Amino acid sequence: MSKYGEAPAVVDIRLIDQVTGKPYSLLSSVFFEEDEEPFRFKSDSFAEATWGKERCIRREALEDSVYVRDNCLVIECVITVLGQLRVSETKPLCEIDVPPPNALRHFGKMLEDTSTADVTFNVEQETFAAHRVVLAARSPVFQKQFSEPMKDKKMSRMTINFMEPVVFKALLHFIYTDSLPAMDDLNKAESNAVMQHLLAAADQYELERLKLMCARTLVMNLNVENVASALWLADKYDCQKLKEACVNFMAPSNRVDAVVASQGYQLLKRTSPSPLADVWEKRSRVRQGFL
């Protein structure tokens, strides 16, 4: 309420599943910062209190989703102010604007600068230079690989098998910047395919935050063509939230036929039939609810 007030708060913006009535957390100030203090909102600094459009959901991603029914979308916003709010009535001697943190931006530039790199990755026909100390600090898998004494103290070379260059590039981008890369040069299907492979890579290198980010992006872009493959992925890599979203998406009767006709469903049926039991059980409960 004061011009110079601050409020530690937790903000959670949710979409409501109109089939089950359960909320899905779309944006949360603690979704990615579970071990950190609550965000401090400042009344005189709007810029520092925004997340940016890159964390919002696209309109086309809502098409055919469980969050839209009869052209209606339900959004729930929960704001919890923590502790006792203390507001100073005295104007400070001077106002000093502190710019937002920029360490990740510098790390991003570090990835582009190969002059200080000490490891090179061969991924199919492409090479990527990186820094062992950064990789080891971010990934337990890389840390274990680099903990052994290196025979050659100069540039070392490693080969990454069973991964496409575009996926490994996105993996490095996250390691250095803690964010997903822009994929403006890819169409929707290509971007979704990269995100599925990136989730598998995140599981391989024990990057839990990246795994959750990929799962959230896949949930926001579910459709009849990719939901079966997403369900297979969720079952294989133990992504319970993604699995729940896929089951909810496939449950409505007006969507089942289209999903069953997709190639992804046929692959899921042959390789991992167990998740389908959850779909049919969910669909049965939905039908009983309508009856």
Side-chain angles (χ1 to χ4, degrees), residues 64-133:
D64 296 326
S65 73
V66 294
Y67 307 112
V68 178
R69 171 167 289 185
D70 298 328
N71 294 323
C72 292
L73 174 69
V74 180
I75 302 175
E76 182 178 78
C77 181
V78 180
I79 302 175
T80 306
V81 179
L82 305 177
Q84 183 177 0
L85 184 62
R86 298 181 179 179
V87 180
S88 174
E89 299 295 339
T90 304
K91 185 175 181 179
L93 297 176
C94 67
E95 296 184 36
I96 300 177
D97 292 329
V98 178
N102 58 3
L104 294 179
R105 181 163 57 87
H106 290 296
F107 273 100
K109 291 183 178 180
M110 184 180 177
L111 178 60
E112 300 172 1
D113 180 12
T114 61
S115 62
T116 59
D118 57 1
V119 61
T120 298
F121 294 93
N122 298 318
V123 187
E124 294 186 356
Q125 303 302 318
E126 296 189 30
T127 60
F128 299 90
H131 307 78
R132 284 179 288 178
V133 63

Side-chain angles (χ1 to χ4, degrees), residues 183-196:
M183 300 183 186
D184 299 333
D185 56 331
L186 303 178
N187 61 39
K188 193 172 182 180
E190 292 171 339
S191 176
N192 192 78
V194 170
M195 203 58 57
Q196 291 191 8

Side-chain angles (χ1 to χ4, degrees), residues 228-246:
S229 58
L231 179 57
W232 174 83
L233 201 70
D235 183 65
K236 181 176 181 179
Y237 296 108
D238 193 27
C239 298
Q240 292 302 316
K241 290 293 184 180
L242 177 58
K243 182 177 180 180
E244 180 182 343
C246 292

Side-chain angles (χ1 to χ4, degrees), residues 136-202:
R138 297 281 282 153
S139 166
V141 176
F142 278 126
Q143 199 236 358
K144 183 178 180 180
Q145 290 177 345
F146 295 137
S147 63
E148 300 178 359
M150 303 296 292
K151 295 180 179 180
D152 187 358
K153 293 185 179 180
K154 297 181 180 180
M155 181 76 76
S156 59
R157 290 185 173 273
M158 300 181 66
T159 299
I160 303 297
N161 298 314
F162 311 109
M163 189 180 300
E164 296 180 3
V166 63
V167 177
F168 188 76
K169 183 178 180 180
L171 181 74
L172 287 181
H173 180 91
F174 169 80
I175 288 177
Y176 279 79
T177 68
D178 213 35
S179 64
L180 293 175
M183 300 183 186
D184 299 333
D185 56 331
L186 303 178
N187 61 39
K188 193 172 182 180
E190 292 171 339
S191 176
N192 192 78
V194 170
M195 203 58 57
Q196 291 191 8
H197 290 297
L198 187 57
L199 187 149

Side-chain angles (χ1 to χ4, degrees), residues 56-69:
C56 294
I57 187 171
R58 291 183 174 275
R59 181 174 179 175
E60 55 266 24
L62 292 173
E63 296 177 358
D64 296 326
S65 73
V66 294
Y67 307 112
V68 178
R69 171 167 289 185

